[in-house]
Amino acid sequence: MTAPYEPPYEPIAWVDRCVRLLDQTLLPHEVRYIDLPTVEAVAEAIEVMRVRGAPAIGITAAYGLALAACLAAPGADGSVLRAVEDAAVRLGATRPTAVNLRWALDRVTARVREATGDASAVAAAIEEAQRIHEEQRRADEAMAGAGANLLAPGSTVLTHCNTGALATGGLGTALGVIIEGYRRGLVRHVLVDETRPRLQGARLTAWELAQHGVPHEVIADGAAASLMAGGEVAAVIVGADRIAANGDTANKVGTYGAAIAARYHSVPFYVAAPLSTVDPATPSGGAIPIEERDASEVLAVDGHPVAPEGTRARNPAFDVTPAALIDGIVTERGVLRPPFATSIASALAEALAGAVPGTAGG
Ligand code: MRU
């Protein structure tokens, strides 16, 4: 890739034994950082989406365990592990779909379990959380480079939800690919699905693209299919919250419809996600838990009711795109191609064996 760029904002940081977040519920109107002094404050921030996006949720929860370790009464051996295990239960219950959450909590807890004595358990929790964050930054760089290679010069690309630095604490997944593509002169323009009901596209992706000077327009989610029909879209690229062993992919609700429209109009559809988003224990999309959020998110826009009082609503926050509609999965180990059951299994095996990233699957 081109020389890595620094996003001009830091969505997640570990500062003075505190979790610092850029509060995404206030964007794009206000850039405010908040310091979270307790595990409960971290859990609340994930639940109400002050931080969101699969990798960012995992990193924040990992720092939440580091915080729990720091706050545990020192001295009595085992109290740090107990505090971390209790915190993992609370944080693990915040959002069900993004598998990065469970993956990050398990990694930090395992490190704390291995530590001998409370002092080294605290150090281990902090170190592991920082390592998860650093690995994500490096994975994002690798994905940006590999994914940009898929794009033809002058492309208009369409994306859904928000997958930038805000969602990963690094450069981003799909949005990292898009920004890298723009820096290489491959991406000319970005169409941003507004992403109802929480408007991550209109509020967050548009804000991030503006920070990077990338030309873009926000569209209503329902406009995507007809713009593809008109030949205006060269590729669709989105992120993921959980990828099953067979390649079925859960992402923000509306992704499935975009994938169907892309296939119908012969537009390539790519997913970009680190291998920490792959869940080999989930065989296929049907087994992915889909978060149902409060109906008020659908019945109101920016807090203003839009439906008659008393109207009921459904609010599944994610949907599953079948592997058959996906042309490639961009990972830190290269672009995986169908059949995904095979390409995913070998990428995971290589990662486990510690092979050098970027050599798998193309
Ligand atoms: O509900 P959200 O905003 O956490 O959902 C986020 C998404 O669906 C993203 O596309 C996904 O987490 C990938 S983030 C790099």
Side-chain angles (χ1 to χ4, degrees):
M1 69 177 266
T2 56
Y5 52 92
E6 281 292 316
Y9 39 92
E10 200 174 4
I12 313 163
W14 174 249
V15 183
D16 297 333
R17 299 195 156 203
C18 225
V19 185
R20 179 168 294 169
L21 294 180
L22 174 52
D23 187 343
Q24 299 186 30
T25 61
L26 303 175
L27 289 172
H29 306 299
E30 188 183 345
V31 177
R32 189 197 298 169
Y33 290 88
I34 49 172
D35 285 345
L36 308 176
T38 63
V39 171
E40 188 49 39
V42 175
E44 187 266 358
I46 296 173
E47 275 166 353
V48 307
M49 297 169 66
R50 299 186 197 289
V51 61
R52 26 67 50 210
I57 292 170
I59 293 162
T60 303
Y63 283 135
L65 293 192
L67 182 60
C70 291
L71 295 174
D77 267 7
S79 59
V80 169
L81 176 58
R82 273 194 302 281
V84 164
E85 285 175 340
D86 288 349
V89 171
R90 173 69 184 100
L91 292 163
T94 51
R95 296 198 70 192
T97 302
V99 76
N100 304 62
L101 174 63
R102 172 55 42 210
W103 173 85
L105 291 172
D106 287 350
R107 262 185 67 164
V108 176
T109 307
R111 275 296 304 281
V112 171
R113 260 190 211 119
E114 282 163 14
T116 42
D118 276 354
S120 64
V122 173
I126 298 173
E127 193 185 283
E128 193 64 12
Q130 289 175 324
R131 183 174 298 168
I132 288 170
H133 195 171
E134 184 50 37
E135 284 176 14
Q136 183 63 42
R137 289 193 186 100
R138 279 190 268 118
D140 284 2
E141 278 180 35
M143 281 184 276
N149 290 338
L150 296 167
L151 302 170
S155 293
T156 289
V157 297
L158 185 141
T159 191
H160 192 74
C161 196
N162 171 265
T163 58
L166 292 171
T168 72
L171 301 179
T173 57
L175 207 64
V177 169
I178 290 168
I179 294 168
E180 174 65 11
Y182 174 72
R183 282 158 50 92
R184 288 196 206 165
L186 304 170
V187 170
R188 185 179 61 78
H189 194 70
V190 186
L191 293 170
V192 180
D193 279 357
E194 63 173 346
T195 318
R196 275 284 284 149
R198 292 284 300 227
L199 298 172
Q200 290 95 327
R203 295 191 304 106
L204 307 177
T205 302
W207 184 78
E208 291 206 78
L209 289 172
Q211 304 291 314
H212 291 280
V214 181
H216 61 279
E217 289 167 310
V218 173
I219 58 169
D221 298 341
S226 62
L227 292 172
M228 288 184 217
E232 293 197 38
V233 181
V236 177
I237 179 156
V238 300
D241 286 82
R242 189 183 300 221
I243 300 175
N246 71 345
D248 290 351
T249 293
N251 191 50
K252 180 52 53 193
V253 69
T255 302
Y256 179 29
I260 292 171
R263 176 58 54 89
Y264 187 77
H265 296 295
S266 304
V267 173
F269 182 91
Y270 301 115
V271 170
L275 289 175
S276 54
T277 302
V278 175
D279 181 9
T282 297
S284 63
I288 298 177
I290 299 296
E291 178 181 12
E292 285 259 359
R293 292 185 64 87
D294 200 274
S296 61
E297 292 182 347
V298 172
L299 296 170
V301 175
D302 232 2
H304 301 288
V306 288
E309 216 182 306
T311 304
R312 288 148 53 97
R314 288 287 308 277
N315 189 10
F318 299 93
D319 59 25
V320 175
T321 298
L325 296 179
I326 300 170
D327 293 293
I329 301 178
V330 181
T331 74
E332 67 272 40
R333 289 186 173 267
V335 180
L336 310 184
R337 297 288 189 179
F340 291 116
T342 312
S343 54
I344 286 175
S346 26
L348 289 175
E350 282 172 24
L352 207 62
V356 182
T359 56

